[in-house]
Amino acid sequence: MEAAQLNGTYTVDNCGKKEFYGTYNSSEVLNEGKGGKPPKLVQNHGASDEEIRNMEQWLKTLSYIVHGDDITLGCTEEQIEDAEERLGISLPDELRIYYRTAGNDPLLMTDRNSKKKDRCLPIDEIHVSDGNVVYRMRKKNPFALSAVKRQIMFMDDEAWYWEPNMESFCENVMITAAIFAISHMEHSAKGRLKGELVSSLQARELAEQHFSSTFRALDTYYHPFCALFYNERERRLGWFRSNGMMADILIGTQTAKEIEDFGEMHGNIKFKYSEVSRL
């Protein structure tokens, strides 16, 4: 049986030791904290209010980058209420805000590469399985959010399980929506880097140091191995992942020349263009 929920400030190592204030289940807390330091949370924890706000703002930024206008294609309150009535539950706040912000936007909900078969479900397709709200399908693998504990749940052999070291819901939405958005942009490409640039696992710091002349690293995405970076005015978007020996980059822009210039400026990166890009 789950112990009483705990309220306070906690830190998450795999979110760059970022501190969050919120209410968490005891199973999410790794220790009590020592030497005046906050106790630690697992990475796959229920979202704090700060994390939900960060997710919502990033989805709005992505919407501007892919659409070129200050619009958001979110679900209406009526759609959300209809879904809750159909499911017989109240959606967790983070899932409700996700759909309210981007739920009717295929550019942020689906990967344009149909071979990947990766999509977040429209709100009229989400469903409940053993107390978990299934909101995404990656090929045949479902992703769900626990309606009570608000942790991402995975399925293996038709049984749901919780992986504490995987991303939290808000983290997962922020990076997945960005990757989906890149796939839909006018020009997109993938590149790989080697050498000094990827000698550290602190991906955001590397992105800030090396790409700051053309992009801004998103400072509300805290994962140490990945970074999101963007130029809202120029409508450019990128994803950067470092593993200590090499790094992968996805980039989406309005012209192919912007990708070529980026590659030359940052170490002669060789890009492989996606099929959607028109050179």
Side-chain angles (χ1 to χ4, degrees):
M1 180 178 293
E2 184 65 52
Q5 292 184 321
L6 307 174
N7 185 276
T9 298
Y10 296 85
T11 185
V12 182
D13 281 354
N14 281 347
C15 292
K17 301 186 184 300
K18 168 67 179 176
E19 294 183 4
F20 299 108
Y21 179 85
T23 301
Y24 304 97
N25 296 296
S26 61
S27 59
E28 299 175 289
V29 181
L30 292 172
N31 60 43
E32 297 180 356
K34 297 180 180 178
K37 296 181 179 180
K40 295 180 180 180
L41 287 177
V42 297
Q43 187 176 7
N44 186 3
H45 57 272
S48 67
D49 289 346
E50 177 185 357
E51 291 170 285
I52 295 174
R53 288 194 301 271
N54 291 343
M55 175 190 71
E56 181 181 20
Q57 183 55 53
W58 178 236
L59 291 172
K60 291 178 179 178
T61 299
L62 290 177
S63 179
Y64 178 81
I65 291 173
V66 295
H67 294 292
D69 203 354
D70 290 319
I71 63 170
T72 54
L73 300 177
C75 293
T76 64
E77 192 64 30
E78 182 179 8
Q79 285 180 291
I80 294 172
E81 290 175 356
D82 286 347
E84 291 181 325
E85 183 176 355
R86 173 174 60 85
L87 299 173
I89 63 169
S90 296
L91 294 179
D93 287 347
E94 53 268 55
L95 197 61
R96 167 180 276 270
I97 290 176
Y98 171 53
Y99 277 97
R100 191 179 71 191
T101 309
N104 288 329
D105 192 342
L107 304 191
L108 302 186
M109 296 274 290
T110 61
D111 196 303
R112 186 167 183 172
N113 184 345
S114 59
K115 294 180 181 179
K116 292 184 179 180
K117 296 182 179 179
D118 191 1
R119 68 187 184 111
C120 292
L121 301 179
I123 197 163
D124 59 358
E125 292 184 22
I126 63 176
H127 53 278
V128 174
S129 174
D130 293 335
N132 305 301
V133 184
V134 180
Y135 68 91
R136 178 183 172 192
M137 293 296 298
R138 189 173 185 181
K139 294 186 177 179
K140 295 183 179 180
N141 299 317
F143 286 55
L145 183 67
S146 169
V148 177
K149 297 183 180 180
R150 301 163 55 212
Q151 302 152 348
I152 291 186
M153 305 295 292
F154 305 92
M155 181 169 280
D156 185 43
D157 291 333
E158 299 185 357
W160 290 103
Y161 71 96
W162 172 55
E163 175 50 65
N165 295 321
M166 296 296 287
E167 292 174 332
S168 65
F169 176 81
C170 290
E171 276 187 293
N172 184 264
V173 164
M174 290 172 77
I175 197 165
T176 299
I179 291 172
F180 287 169
I182 291 171
S183 77
H184 288 280
M185 293 183 72
E186 187 78 6
H187 298 275
S188 60
K190 181 177 182 178
R192 174 159 287 181
L193 295 81
K194 298 180 180 179
E196 182 179 356
L197 178 63
V198 295
S199 60
S200 167
L201 295 180
Q202 298 301 318
R204 192 179 80 187
E205 285 77 1
L206 286 169
E208 288 173 341
Q209 293 168 13
H210 293 271
F211 308 146
S212 60
S213 60
T214 48
F215 285 91
R216 170 188 174 188
L218 179 65
D219 58 7
T220 54
Y221 181 75
Y222 307 108
H223 198 291
F225 309 135
C226 299
L228 297 169
F229 50 102
Y230 64 107
N231 184 318
E232 190 169 2
R233 182 174 62 85
E234 301 293 337
R235 295 176 58 208
R236 302 172 185 159
L237 182 60
W239 167 84
F240 173 63
R241 176 179 64 189
S242 169
N243 67 7
M245 296 180 292
M246 61 183 64
D248 293 318
I249 287 184
L250 295 177
I251 186 171
T253 60
Q254 301 307 306
T255 68
K257 187 176 186 302
E258 290 176 279
I259 297 177
E260 295 166 2
D261 291 347
F262 180 88
E264 293 177 2
M265 183 181 301
H266 300 294
N268 198 27
I269 305 168
K270 302 299 182 183
F271 283 104
K272 179 180 179 180
Y273 288 82
S274 69
E275 294 181 359
V276 287
S277 294
R278 295 189 291 274
L279 300 180

